[in-house]
């Protein structure tokens, strides 16, 4: 094993959960620190194959389970429930608290953050709200403007008014993910959009901490943040002196098959961000860190990290 793993907790800003933080320290002296903010219906320990690679390169990797995910729950019934007030930015505030803790503890290390999918939207909101200057930012599996966000919030509010915030609506969940598999119908697998690797999809399907339905509370909170970070001028509020690298699969429906990711890239350029790069992987789907060409992706990310440090030195 290329790392020593430690786990600790801090209280969530929602006053409901203890946020679980995972720190993977390389066996060699750390050169950089990479913080991960994970996606919807998953958890930090799913990233351990990627973490093994990064720690083998001397990168200290850390991150946490978002509120209502992984081990940041009281019972399994809490999966997919954010906070009593879905709009209180619990996930973004928790991200800040974890980031502040890591920055203070490892102040000597260049600090990078990688946000995937829902985590990418939380990271974008974090950057808008707190204007954090870092050594580099990696945005994975993100998306651009989506006309379905506003009506999606309205529908979630309407169902919640009848059923309550903790209700898990299979109808709403179906609508939310409608069309994600349209390019992969011949595979007859509802999770085909995640990855070309069937083993990854099967493991996700069997994992109760992945294969669950969000509460309406979480859908409302998540979509409200998506709305904030995809409006026309969102990029005006992020730090401009930090290098950004966006990456996604060309077959990722979350990024509108590359179009939404390209739009995000262009917004950052228009906002005069100093350095932005983009990689769209041919044939890749939503989880590029779990794709059939994941080794290529790992190598590309480490190389980009090294370039970010070199360019700023």
């Amino acid at each position: 094993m290329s790392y020593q793993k430690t786990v600790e907790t801090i209280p969530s800003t929602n006053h409901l959960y203890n946020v679980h933080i995972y720190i993977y320290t390389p066996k060699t002296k750390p050169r950089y620190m990479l913080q991960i903010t994970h996606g919807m219906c998953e958890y930090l320990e799913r990233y351990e194959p990627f973490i093994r690679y990064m720690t083998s390169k001397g990168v200290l990797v850390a991150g946490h389970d978002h509120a209502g995910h992984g081990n940041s729950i009281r019972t399994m019934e809490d999966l997919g429930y954010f906070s009593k007030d879905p709009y209180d930015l619990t996930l973004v505030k928790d991200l800040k608290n974890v980031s502040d803790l890591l920055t203070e503890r490892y102040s000597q290390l260049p600090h990078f953050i990688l946000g995937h999918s829902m985590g990418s939207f939380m990271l974008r909101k974090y950057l808008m709200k707190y204007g954090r200057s870092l050594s580099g930012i990696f945005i994975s599996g993100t998306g651009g403007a989506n006309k379905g966000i506003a009506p999606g919030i309205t529908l979630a509010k309407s169902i919640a008014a009848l059923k309550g915030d903790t209700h898990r609506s299979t109808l709403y969940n179906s609508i939310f993910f409608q069309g994600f598999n349209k390019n992969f119908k011949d595979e007859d697998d509802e999770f085909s959009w995640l990855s070309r690797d069937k083993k990854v999809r099967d493991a996700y399907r069997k994992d109760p901490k992945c294969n669950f339905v969000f509460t309406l509370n979480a859908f409302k909170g998540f979509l409200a943040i998506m709305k904030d970070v995809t409006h026309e001028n969102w990029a005006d509020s992020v730090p401009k002196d930090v290098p950004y690298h966006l990456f996604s699969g060309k077959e990722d429906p979350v990024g509108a098959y590359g179009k939404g990711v390209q739009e995000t890239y262009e917004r950052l350029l228009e906002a005069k961000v100093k350095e932005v790069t983009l990689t769209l992987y041919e044939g890749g789907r939503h989880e590029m860190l779990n794709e059939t060409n994941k080794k290529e992706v790992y190598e590309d990310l480490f190389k980009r990290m090294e370039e970010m440090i070199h360019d700023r030195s």
Side-chain angles (χ1 to χ4, degrees):
M1 195 67 70
S2 58
Y3 58 74
Q4 179 182 352
K5 176 181 176 181
T6 57
V7 184
E8 57 191 85
T9 64
I10 60 172
S12 171
T13 56
N14 66 12
H15 307 295
L16 297 175
Y17 311 136
N18 286 323
V19 169
H20 280 61
I21 303 169
Y22 307 84
I23 299 172
Y24 300 82
T25 305
K27 294 294 179 67
T28 57
K29 184 179 179 181
R31 301 168 59 196
Y32 316 129
M33 175 171 62
L34 175 64
Q35 181 181 352
I36 297 174
T37 172
H38 69 74
M40 175 183 184
C41 297
E42 61 161 353
Y43 50 94
L44 201 284
E45 289 171 303
R46 277 192 83 225
Y47 289 74
E48 287 185 351
F50 172 60
I51 290 167
R52 279 196 294 274
Y53 173 84
M54 281 292 172
T55 52
S56 75
K57 296 292 186 180
V59 180
L60 184 149
V61 183
H64 69 287
D65 291 339
H66 291 299
H69 288 78
N71 291 315
S72 296
I73 56 175
R74 297 163 300 189
T75 72
M76 293 294 282
E77 289 301 308
D78 291 325
L79 287 172
Y81 181 84
F82 287 177
S83 178
K84 292 175 183 177
D85 176 0
Y87 306 114
D88 67 0
L89 301 181
T90 284
L91 272 62
V92 178
K93 292 174 182 176
D94 286 348
L95 174 59
K96 180 183 187 299
N97 287 346
V98 173
S99 183
D100 288 350
L101 180 154
L102 294 171
T103 298
E104 182 177 355
R105 187 175 300 176
Y106 303 104
S107 58
Q108 77 281 11
L109 296 177
H111 188 165
F112 300 86
I113 297 186
L114 184 157
H116 170 67
S117 193
M118 182 187 77
S120 77
F121 296 108
M122 299 303 159
L123 175 57
R124 287 161 66 175
K125 183 63 178 179
Y126 164 83
L127 294 169
M128 290 171 65
K129 184 173 176 62
Y130 299 109
R132 176 70 196 282
S133 185
L134 297 146
S135 296
I137 295 162
F138 295 92
I139 297 178
S140 164
T142 202
N146 185 331
K147 293 179 180 178
I149 293 175
I153 294 172
T154 300
L155 180 59
K157 286 180 177 178
S158 298
I159 300 175
L162 296 172
K163 300 283 190 176
D165 247 16
T166 59
H167 181 65
R168 301 174 193 273
S169 170
T170 53
L171 172 62
Y172 190 91
N173 193 66
S174 297
I175 294 170
F176 186 87
F177 289 104
Q178 187 177 26
F180 276 28
N181 256 351
K182 69 177 183 180
N183 287 6
F184 320 113
K185 289 179 181 178
D186 58 325
E187 296 179 7
D188 193 28
D189 184 341
E190 64 178 316
F191 296 120
S192 285
W193 63 278
L194 288 176
S195 171
R196 288 169 290 185
D197 190 332
K198 190 175 184 299
K199 290 181 181 179
V200 168
R201 304 194 311 250
D202 288 345
Y204 187 94
R205 181 181 295 103
K206 294 173 184 176
D207 192 334
K209 289 189 176 179
C210 288
N211 191 5
F212 63 90
V213 174
F214 255 27
T215 63
L216 292 168
N217 167 283
F219 274 123
K220 288 192 290 184
F222 180 21
L223 286 173
I225 287 175
M226 284 185 70
K227 184 179 178 182
D228 284 348
V229 303
T230 57
H231 68 74
E232 188 175 355
N233 299 318
W234 69 270
D236 292 341
S237 302
V238 304
K240 307 298 191 297
D241 61 340
V242 182
Y244 292 71
H245 178 65
L246 283 66
F247 66 102
S248 187
K250 281 191 177 180
E251 295 300 318
D252 179 8
V254 175
Y257 308 98
K259 293 178 182 178
V261 189
Q262 182 73 35
E263 176 196 306
T264 304
Y265 168 77
E266 290 172 0
R267 292 292 189 208
L268 290 166
L269 289 177
E270 290 166 4
K272 308 298 183 187
V273 170
K274 186 177 180 180
E275 183 183 336
V276 193
T277 54
L278 166 65
T279 302
L280 293 174
Y281 291 92
E282 197 70 45
R285 300 181 189 178
H286 184 55
E287 294 188 344
M288 286 311 307
L289 297 180
N290 286 323
E291 259 294 2
T292 52
N293 64 324
K294 63 185 179 183
K295 185 177 179 182
E296 173 193 3
V297 180
Y298 296 176
E299 291 171 350
D300 287 350
L301 293 180
F302 181 71
K303 180 182 177 183
R304 189 71 195 95
M305 191 180 295
E306 296 252 87
E307 291 171 347
M308 287 175 173
I309 291 294
H310 180 266
D311 291 348
R312 300 187 82 188
S313 61

